[in-house]
Amino acid sequence: MTDRKLFKTLAGMVAVLVAVTVVIFVLAQIVTSGLRLNANKSALAQNQATIAARIKPIGEVTVGSAPVVSSLIPAASAAVKDPGKAAYESTCVACHGAGVAGAPKFGDKAAWVKHIAKGLPTLYKHALHGFSGTAGYMPAKGGNPGLSDADVQAAVRYMVSHGK
Ligand code: HEC
């Protein structure tokens, strides 16, 4: 192959490559022209609105509206309103619910008479610190040290009010 022939061949290849580059460039322009959103500002804004609508969460929570929450979980909000009931249901019900091991049964007026007769301050003391009576043993705070004193006293009032 002479130098002249080699030059011709190379020049031909360069020409072909340039032509291919031009074709690719033109094709790229045609294909991407539909995607150039910035070209049309209103189209872009519309697109954002559509996207926002499309990725909107299914459910929306209204924060700070107590009635909605309390209507969804009435039991929980009732428990919050009455800490005595909550403490009773978490702990005291274990024995007082069915009157287990000599515990005066919840709502059983005959069983509660002699306890109520002692007066609230004594009942508070016995519920908080434990009490060994004739019928059985009442553990301090019903055996649940996680309860606050106020909760236990509220539970006593709750049980007493239903035992009168
Ligand atoms: C492990 C069982 C048990 C649990 C739990 C329990 N109690 Fe009692 N409780 C008893 C028994 C038994 C008696 C009766 C003791 C007696 O009169 O001989 C009693 C009696 C009482 C009395 C009457 C005390 C008195 O002086 O007559 C009160 C008030 C009381 N419990 C409150 C509570 C409260 C409030 C809770 C929950 C925080 C609770 N109890 C949880 C067993 C229990």
Side-chain angles (χ1 to χ4, degrees), residues 91-92 94-96 101-104 112 115 118 123 126-127 131 133-139 141-142 147 152 155-156 159:
T91 305
C92 322
C95 296
H96 290 275
W112 274 96
H115 298 285
K118 296 177 191 174
L123 297 184
H126 289 168
F131 167 65
T134 50
Y137 174 63
M138 158 72 206
K141 292 188 173 181
L147 289 176
V152 172
V156 170
M159 286 201 283

Side-chain angles (χ1 to χ4, degrees), residues 101-163:
K105 192 176 166 187
F106 183 84
D108 183 341
K109 296 181 167 82
W112 274 96
V113 169
K114 65 170 180 155
H115 298 285
I116 292 172
K118 296 177 191 174
L120 269 182
T122 305
L123 297 184
Y124 285 157
K125 204 175 91 194
H126 289 168
L128 286 170
H129 306 295
F131 167 65
S132 246
T134 50
Y137 174 63
M138 158 72 206
K141 292 188 173 181
N144 182 0
L147 289 176
S148 72
D149 288 9
D151 284 345
V152 172
Q153 292 178 350
V156 170
R157 286 194 300 276
Y158 177 71
M159 286 201 283
V160 164
S161 70
H162 284 80

